Amino acid sequence: MLKQRVITAVILLVLFLLALFLLPTLGWAALVIIMVMQASLEWARLSQLSRKTISVYLWLTLAVMLGIVWLNTQYPGQFESLHMLIYGMSALLWLIMVPLWLKARWHVRQPLLMMLTGWVLLIPTGLAMMDLRIQNPWWLLGVIGLVWVADIAAYFSGRKFGKNKLAPNISPGKTWEGVFGALLGVTAYVLLIVWTSDLATNYQALLGMLIVSWGWVGLAVIGDLFESAIKRQAGVKDSGTLLPGHGGLLDRIDALTSTLPLAAMVILLQRVA
């Protein structure tokens, strides 16, 4: 299983880097839409929506994503308030609603609520992938790289040292040792970035980057736990079978749904200010 996971991860990494740096803007937008649609399909199935409801949900999702791409293409930089609203809804979901959801162990069955949650989960993620890439592909890669490093470090440290369960009622495989491993991993990641940049002697900037990166690890953990809770509610191990050794696409981007939109929001706020 580990060998299969590694092979799939390497292939995905190569394809992602090629797409990130070589695709034109519309080509990247088309790829993002495909990813959002696949993740939305997996979310709809986890939500146990009826076949007819899934069809309506996917068509509406496609319409929203196409609308976002059209606005970005026709009126670049003119709808920042709309983008901020979308990212604000994502922040509300991840900073308030999801922690309450997990703490209360809600088992939501209402189709409309699950559809709305899926939109707030995935549409801001797709928008962030487009916005960050337009601003600077390296910014997008930097944020995604941080989440990947945290995920890899958590996986191996949890396997090697994991004893204390993080949330046994939600995801028995996750441990506090895995979280600490993730924190160490992203600390090394940030130090490497600082060491190879002109920030090496700016200790105030270094401290700020470390604090933000540790907060992003917390967001990634929440995103991972939330998807695990939804999968447990649905009675399945993975969100799908698209990626050998990894499950579905949603299994791979769960931590990105809670981190990318907030990163895009922070960068947009700095640009506006």
Side-chain angles (χ1 to χ4, degrees):
M1 177 64 74
L2 179 59
K3 181 179 179 181
Q4 191 177 49
R5 287 175 64 93
V6 171
I7 292 174
T8 301
V10 170
I11 294 174
L12 289 175
L13 176 61
V14 172
L15 293 177
F16 173 78
L17 292 176
L18 289 174
L20 179 64
F21 291 105
L22 297 181
L23 281 180
T25 300
L26 284 180
W28 177 258
L31 178 62
V32 170
I33 289 177
I34 292 172
M35 293 175 61
V36 169
M37 295 305 297
Q38 173 62 32
S40 296
L41 176 60
E42 294 176 9
W43 174 264
R45 289 172 175 168
L46 289 179
S47 303
Q48 299 176 317
L49 302 179
S50 67
R51 182 173 299 181
K52 182 178 180 180
T53 305
I54 289 177
S55 179
V56 172
Y57 174 65
L58 292 179
W59 279 111
L60 290 174
T61 303
L62 179 60
V64 172
M65 291 304 300
L66 289 175
I68 288 174
V69 172
W70 183 81
L71 287 175
N72 280 352
T73 303
Q74 298 297 319
Y75 307 98
Q78 296 184 32
F79 284 88
E80 291 182 342
S81 58
L82 175 60
H83 289 210
M84 190 61 67
L85 175 62
I86 294 174
Y87 294 141
M89 289 189 294
S90 178
L92 180 64
L93 175 71
W94 290 112
L95 298 178
I96 299 177
M97 294 305 299
V98 167
L100 292 175
W101 192 316
L102 294 175
K103 185 175 182 179
R105 299 181 189 176
W106 290 339
H107 289 271
V108 178
R109 301 292 183 183
Q110 293 86 350
L112 180 58
L113 180 55
M114 293 303 290
M115 290 168 66
L116 290 173
T117 302
W119 282 324
V120 180
L121 193 81
L122 296 170
I123 289 175
T125 304
L127 179 61
M129 292 185 71
M130 290 186 283
D131 279 353
L132 289 173
R133 202 245 192 180
I134 289 173
Q135 292 300 315
N136 190 332
W138 289 100
W139 290 357
L140 177 57
L141 182 60
V143 177
I144 292 179
L146 187 147
V147 174
W148 283 343
V149 167
D151 186 49
I152 294 170
Y155 177 77
F156 285 104
S157 59
R159 287 190 61 179
K160 180 68 174 179
F161 305 107
K163 293 181 180 179
N164 300 288
K165 302 297 183 182
L166 175 63
N169 294 320
I170 299 175
S171 182
K174 295 178 176 60
T175 63
W176 281 106
E177 288 80 5
V179 174
F180 294 139
L183 290 172
L184 288 175
V186 300
T187 299
Y189 176 78
V190 170
L191 291 176
L192 178 62
I193 290 176
V194 170
W195 181 63
T196 56
S197 68
D198 57 359
L199 298 174
T201 58
N202 191 335
Y203 298 109
Q204 186 175 2
L206 171 60
L207 179 59
M209 291 178 64
L210 285 173
I211 293 173
V212 169
S213 69
W214 295 333
W216 249 244
V217 171
L219 285 172
V221 170
I222 291 174
D224 199 339
L225 286 177
F226 183 57
E227 199 225 348
S228 296
I230 300 301
K231 289 190 294 186
R232 178 170 286 266
Q233 177 179 303
V236 297
K237 182 179 182 294
D238 297 316
S239 66
T241 58
L242 179 67
L243 305 175
H246 292 265
L249 178 63
L250 197 56
D251 293 315
R252 287 301 86 219
I253 67 169
D254 51 6
L256 296 179
T257 61
S258 58
T259 53
L260 279 183
L262 273 70
M265 182 174 69
V266 170
I267 292 174
L268 181 58
L269 284 171
Q270 290 180 339
R271 193 177 68 186
V272 171

